[in-house]
Amino acid sequence: MAKIQLIHLAHARSGDKGDTANVGLIAFKPEYYPLLVEQVTAERVKEHFQGICLGAVERFEVPNLEALNFLLHNSLDGGGTISLKTDAQGKTYSSALLRMEIEVDDAIAKEALAK
Amino acid sequence: MRTIRIANGQGFWGDSVQAPIEQVRRGQIDYLGLDYLAEITMSIMQKQRAKDPRSGYARDFVAMIEEILPDLVERHIKVVANAGGVNGEACRDAVLEVARKAGFQGRARIGIVAGDDIMPRLDDYLSRGVELKNLETGEPLSAIRSQVQSANIYFGGRPVAEAFDQGALIVIAGRVTDTGLSLGPLIHEFKWAADDWDRLAAGTIAGHTVECGAQCTGGNCQFDWETIPNLADIGYPIIEAQEDGSFVITKHEGTGGRINLQSIKEQLLYEMGDPKEYITPDCIADFTSIKLAEAGENRVRFSGIKGRPATEFYKVSISYSAGWKAVGTLVYSWPDALKKAQAADRILRERLDRLGLKFDTVMTEFVGANACHGALAGEALPDLPEVQFRIGVRGDNRHMIERFTREIAPLVLNGPPSVTGFAGGRPKVEEIIAYWPALIPKAEVAPEVSVVEA
């Protein structure tokens, strides 16, 4: 087994609704999707975003897109026009999630890191 | 099967001015949809109309129509835009004038979808027990009634379709959902019934895919971003829709950008909540039912989409005044850039304290070190070439926010060394216009559709 960052396994896009940020996480390959489902849990994402996400994290599965959608509540200093943050809309939270490491087989790690 | 081509030429208020013109001129389309409203726009437009009863709509739209009107009339391209803001009539009159001046009398019918502006009826609703509770906090609107700046219903695609049914070439709407701008033409063309939930969901998902303009054609796309060709001439999206609810997302031949499964998936998940419950005035769309397939270069086909009955409510977008804020910045260079910026932060905060200034929030970020990803960015490199010190304050007392803005520039002479980046002058004090989402029973409001000849 090897630990690799999600950026080698998935891409992502994030956006906002009020003070809630959403992050969509999309597997590069169908084979990677079960790894995301198993390891990128709401609890891990909440822990990953500590100091940024001050509320709950919800996770939704979108198997037809080989994707997960996360809602990070209370994460944008009030959001939209209220927020004082540079990233008041959570646009860069997508790449922030891609910093997370998960465990994969050596073969998958080799393949994913080769790209 | 008949195919209808609906182009998006504007993803948000402030998007490319050129995009709608390119969408009309670089290939065949049947409809052009344009989004001109952001949540904050309505409050700005209410203020404009208070000063001048002939204003309160998107003026950019009228200038754009002036340029493309000959194309629209000669090639029968129809337009739908939520450019009406809080004054659809005035926007229509301005477009009528443009059409008459250009010699298109009797050749262009202009429609409006109004009735979304419930600002004048707000107290009536509240007195009848329609509480307009905040969807997120549950608080009743009465708590902030005196601060309300605008209140608008989100209508869906159906009233847009009605305006086209009445022969409109151009439909000017107020607060219509972004998805309704694409769904409306589809309802009109294919006569989809109000309970044809699967097809309405398909049109809604088509609308969601294109509503952010080039964000589905390779813009802001993380997947393989460096190889996406010619972003300088990026093509905006086009829906090629068929009566059965299937559709292809594509763009004009020869334009830049890229449409593939990855660019489409990224956009599908953008601003997504529960993917099984995408609620609009028209239906509930289920994003987990979508089947995607690449269908040639820069073409992605959608099929299999399922929908469920719409709810009994419209969403209401209410804006209200919620205090003041200001953000100031300075740039510190090597050596010790981050340390100097951190020292400046300590010094400034101490001075604000000594002045007795109180704020609801004071927030500091060090751009170049951790502004976007916070602690996830890890320890900053000790030898950063430069760091921007960015500090913001927020509160109810405008005077205190104003005083804060005068304390940034002095740091250039009386704080840590090798500092620059203050040329923009004092930070601006901004009024915070906050957003209050609520629901209202559909029986309480009705869209008002009318069409007149130029």
Side-chain angles (χ1 to χ4, degrees):
Chain A
M1 297 294 270
K3 268 192 167 182
I4 64 171
Q5 280 189 316
L6 286 176
I7 196 160
H8 303 294
L9 301 163
H11 55 123
R13 178 169 294 178
S14 52
D16 68 311
K17 272 280 178 277
D19 198 20
T20 297
N22 101 291
V23 184
L25 179 69
I26 307 153
F28 285 153
K29 297 177 122 193
E31 308 90 272
Y32 298 168
Y33 178 61
L35 297 170
L36 305 184
V37 172
E38 188 197 342
Q39 296 187 53
V40 191
T41 59
E43 297 72 37
R44 269 210 76 190
V45 171
K46 167 75 183 165
E47 191 192 320
H48 184 72
F49 279 97
Q50 62 178 288
I52 294 175
C53 176
L54 307 179
V57 171
E58 287 182 89
R59 186 182 92 163
F60 300 93
E61 295 178 19
V62 200
N64 54 320
L65 305 183
E66 285 121 18
L68 297 172
N69 185 43
F70 296 92
L71 293 183
L72 279 55
H73 297 285
N74 195 2
S75 298
L76 298 168
D77 184 38
T81 54
I82 301 172
S83 181
L84 297 172
K85 285 168 104 75
T86 295
D87 190 7
Q89 275 112 15
K91 299 262 185 195
T92 67
Y93 289 3
S94 52
S95 52
L97 178 58
L98 297 178
R99 291 174 177 273
M100 184 190 282
E101 286 184 332
I102 68 168
E103 292 209 337
V104 298
D105 285 343
D106 291 337
I108 289 181
K110 202 175 158 195
E111 174 191 72
L113 293 170
K115 286 198 179 146
Chain B
M1 227 187 305
R2 195 162 64 104
T3 300
I4 299 298
R5 290 167 63 88
I6 301 171
N8 171 286
Q10 183 106 97
F12 67 106
W13 189 45
D15 202 356
S16 163
V17 177
Q18 193 59 25
I21 298 165
E22 305 271 320
Q23 284 290 54
V24 166
R25 299 211 174 130
R26 287 176 76 168
Q28 185 50 49
I29 60 170
D30 301 300
Y31 288 85
L32 177 66
L34 307 157
D35 176 19
Y36 280 92
L37 300 184
E39 245 105 51
I40 191 175
T41 326
M42 288 306 206
S43 63
I44 296 170
M45 289 176 171
Q46 284 283 10
K47 280 182 187 166
Q48 289 173 346
R49 189 179 59 176
K51 281 185 206 147
D52 172 5
R54 302 309 297 157
S55 69
Y57 60 87
R59 288 176 194 276
D60 290 0
F61 173 72
V62 179
M64 197 272 300
I65 288 294
E66 188 162 19
E67 169 139 10
I68 64 171
L69 193 57
D71 304 80
L72 304 182
V73 174
E74 277 148 36
R75 291 165 52 209
H76 309 291
I77 298 168
K78 295 173 181 167
V79 172
V80 52
N82 55 13
V86 298
N87 202 347
E89 291 87 351
C91 184
R92 176 199 56 204
D93 293 348
V95 170
L96 285 172
E97 199 183 312
V98 160
R100 285 169 190 152
K101 249 198 247 163
F104 291 111
Q105 289 95 330
R107 294 178 71 191
R109 290 166 70 85
I110 317 295
I112 53 173
V113 175
D116 60 299
D117 181 3
I118 58 165
M119 192 68 178
R121 301 200 293 276
L122 222 41
D123 291 317
D124 176 49
Y125 287 132
L126 294 177
S127 71
R128 288 194 290 110
V130 179
E131 287 184 288
L132 300 169
K133 283 185 195 157
N134 187 308
L135 270 177
E136 278 153 27
T137 65
E139 258 188 297
L141 185 70
S142 52
I144 53 132
R145 172 64 189 95
S146 61
Q147 292 147 260
V148 172
Q149 309 263 331
S150 68
N152 294 79
I153 307 284
Y154 276 98
F155 289 133
R158 188 118 335 237
V160 171
E162 271 171 43
F164 284 125
D165 291 346
Q166 292 178 33
L169 179 75
I170 297 170
V171 176
I172 297 163
R175 188 73 271 190
V176 161
T177 56
D178 299 350
T179 55
L181 299 176
S182 296
L183 178 59
L186 293 171
I187 293 174
H188 164 69
E189 288 288 339
F190 297 132
K191 308 290 172 235
W192 287 343
D195 61 353
D196 195 346
W197 307 117
D198 291 347
R199 286 185 176 84
L200 295 174
T204 297
I205 288 173
H208 173 87
T209 310
V210 303
E211 75 182 24
C212 295
Q215 212 179 211
C216 71
T217 60
N220 189 28
C221 184
Q222 247 175 24
F223 184 82
D224 232 355
W225 73 270
E226 274 188 286
T227 71
I228 297 173
N230 198 8
L231 286 180
D233 185 30
I234 191 165
Y236 275 53
I238 296 166
I239 305 164
E240 290 184 356
Q242 298 189 321
E243 197 282 331
D244 65 357
S246 67
F247 59 92
V248 167
I249 301 294
T250 187
K251 61 190 182 68
H252 284 317
E253 199 85 20
T255 57
R258 177 185 290 155
I259 299 175
N260 58 11
L261 287 177
Q262 288 83 7
S263 74
I264 291 292
K265 285 181 184 180
E266 285 192 21
Q267 176 56 22
L268 283 174
L269 292 165
Y270 182 65
E271 291 182 347
M272 177 56 49
D274 180 345
K276 287 192 158 92
E277 298 252 327
Y278 187 92
I279 302 172
T280 73
D282 303 289
C283 65
I284 297 177
D286 181 355
F287 278 58
T288 67
S289 66
I290 304 168
K291 290 187 180 65
L292 294 179
E294 286 185 3
E297 200 183 350
N298 292 311
R299 296 177 65 81
V300 171
R301 169 166 287 280
F302 288 57
S303 61
I305 291 170
K306 297 286 177 203
R308 294 201 302 284
T311 74
E312 297 295 304
F313 298 93
Y314 284 121
K315 194 168 174 185
V316 192
S317 161
I318 298 167
S319 69
Y320 66 102
S321 173
W324 306 89
K325 67 174 182 179
V327 175
T329 63
L330 291 171
V331 173
Y332 290 87
S333 84
W334 183 93
D336 302 323
L338 181 57
K339 269 196 200 164
K340 289 171 188 162
Q342 287 165 334
D345 182 46
R346 283 192 301 273
I347 294 162
L348 179 60
R349 282 172 181 255
E350 194 177 328
R351 287 181 185 161
L352 297 177
D353 274 347
R354 283 176 184 222
L355 289 166
L357 302 180
K358 299 265 183 292
F359 306 102
D360 293 344
T361 306
V362 181
M363 179 179 288
T364 301
E365 292 176 329
F366 299 105
V367 182
N370 62 10
C372 291
H373 290 179
L376 287 169
E379 201 65 25
L381 298 171
D383 215 25
L384 287 175
E386 65 226 4
V387 168
Q388 184 190 57
F389 164 47
R390 184 179 186 278
I391 182 165
V393 297
R394 181 171 68 220
D396 289 335
N397 186 323
R398 183 179 184 160
H399 168 76
M400 290 194 182
I401 307 282
E402 186 85 54
R403 189 69 186 77
F404 157 83
T405 66
R406 293 160 186 255
E407 288 301 313
I408 311 289
L411 278 167
V412 172
L413 297 185
N414 66 19
S418 61
V419 56
T420 184
F422 50 91
R426 277 182 197 149
K428 208 168 73 223
V429 176
E430 285 180 82
E431 182 178 10
I432 297 172
I433 302 296
Y435 169 60
W436 181 282
L439 297 177
I440 192 166
K442 280 182 175 165
E444 294 286 347
V445 270
E448 296 155 17
V449 176
S450 62
V451 176
V452 297
E453 186 80 63

